[in-house]
Amino acid sequence: MADPVLKVENINVYYGSIHAIKGISFEVYEGEIVTLIGANGAGKSTTLNTISGLLHPSTGSVSFLGDSLAKIAPHKIVERGLAQVPEGRRVFAQMTVQENLEMGAYTQSNNYIHEDLENVYKLFPRLNERKNQIAGTLSGGEQQMLAMGRALMSRPKLLMLDEPSMGLAPILVEQIFDIIADLHKHGATILLVEQNAQMALSIASRGYVMETGKIVTTGTGKELLSSPEVRKAYLGG
């Protein structure tokens, strides 16, 4: 089997005296959608922020494309091809849609920017219609599309999505998950953190269930969807 794109080994992460992540290990292989599911506070977002260099593990290691990410600055991690769409979208509210997308390409050479913009506008026609609009005036769903488009402008080898459905109306949640599935179909490798376990597992190759900083169950998306324990805890049945 090929080496994983991302390998997380036995990481422990603390916020002050709080032990937020307790010795978790997992990997993501090229072409997979891997999802981390669990209740609020399970440590899912903390895990993503540790991978992208915003937090540092006290023990354990994170490697990306075979290289350790220890002591590498977050912007250098993006340069290597690992992009995160943060929880809460965090678009540049005072800038236009197109300026936000161009900010996503800051690690890329100018040769690709026009082509990549065209690709993002094809994927998200709504953004094309609103390219000159100030990002802060977009709806929540449009801002989520913009945050995803901005991350794609960095040409990521791994795209990490943190709670992409949070705060969106059900019809928009379906639309966002359709887009994630479409990205995957076109070859994207995705690590997805999501509270909507049903939607996440329905598109995931594999999933890991987190509880209070630990991984308690793992399996394929289908296995976890049909597991009585997972259904009872996360799928309301």
Side-chain angles (χ1 to χ4, degrees):
M1 194 170 188
D3 291 334
V5 172
L6 177 74
K7 190 174 179 68
V8 174
E9 284 187 283
N10 196 30
I11 60 169
N12 285 276
V13 183
Y14 290 83
Y15 285 117
S17 60
I18 297 163
H19 195 178
I21 301 294
K22 300 165 184 166
I24 69 168
S25 301
F26 66 93
E27 58 277 320
V28 180
Y29 290 89
E30 188 175 350
E32 285 192 306
I33 296 182
V34 171
T35 186
L36 304 179
I37 63 166
N40 219 346
K44 306 182 303 294
S45 295
T46 301
T47 301
L48 289 199
N49 289 337
T50 305
I51 294 165
S52 56
L54 300 170
L55 295 169
H56 301 289
S58 58
T59 62
S61 66
V62 177
S63 55
F64 178 61
L65 301 173
D67 295 323
S68 167
L69 295 183
K71 302 190 173 114
I72 295 178
H75 70 280
K76 291 286 184 194
I77 291 176
V78 174
E79 232 166 73
R80 288 177 179 219
L82 199 160
Q84 180 173 346
V85 179
E87 185 182 343
R89 305 181 261 285
R90 301 204 197 149
V91 298
F92 299 108
Q94 306 303 320
M95 295 165 74
T96 65
V97 166
Q98 180 135 331
E99 285 165 345
N100 266 269
L101 293 174
E102 287 166 351
M103 286 294 283
Y106 77 95
T107 59
Q108 298 302 306
S109 82
N110 288 340
N111 309 345
Y112 297 120
I113 291 177
H114 180 72
E115 181 192 331
D116 290 349
L117 273 173
E118 292 298 307
N119 289 336
V120 167
Y121 286 143
K122 264 190 208 124
L123 187 63
F124 302 102
R126 186 78 58 84
L127 297 183
N128 194 22
E129 290 161 20
R130 290 169 170 47
K131 64 171 80 163
N132 298 317
Q133 195 169 321
I134 297 297
T137 64
L138 299 176
S139 71
E142 290 162 349
Q143 287 190 20
Q144 185 61 53
M145 291 174 196
L146 179 55
M148 289 167 71
R150 184 179 61 189
L152 290 172
M153 290 293 292
S154 71
R155 297 195 155 208
K157 296 182 178 76
L158 175 64
L159 181 64
M160 301 199 300
L161 302 170
D162 195 355
E163 302 284 9
S165 77
M166 187 183 274
L168 299 183
I171 190 160
L172 283 173
V173 172
E174 286 197 16
Q175 206 177 344
I176 292 295
F177 274 91
D178 285 346
I179 290 164
I180 296 168
D182 196 39
L183 285 173
H184 178 241
K185 200 169 70 189
H186 286 89
T189 304
I190 296 167
L191 177 57
L192 170 66
V193 155
E194 183 52 70
Q195 264 186 289
N196 187 329
Q198 178 85 41
M199 293 293 280
L201 292 173
S202 69
I203 64 167
S205 322
R206 293 184 300 112
Y208 295 87
V209 181
M210 290 189 73
E211 277 176 21
T212 57
K214 294 181 183 147
I215 288 172
V216 292
T217 314
T218 181
T220 66
K222 282 197 177 84
E223 284 165 354
L224 293 175
L225 266 179
S226 58
S227 149
E229 293 85 358
V230 172
R231 290 200 70 78
K232 189 166 175 233
Y234 303 105
L235 307 174

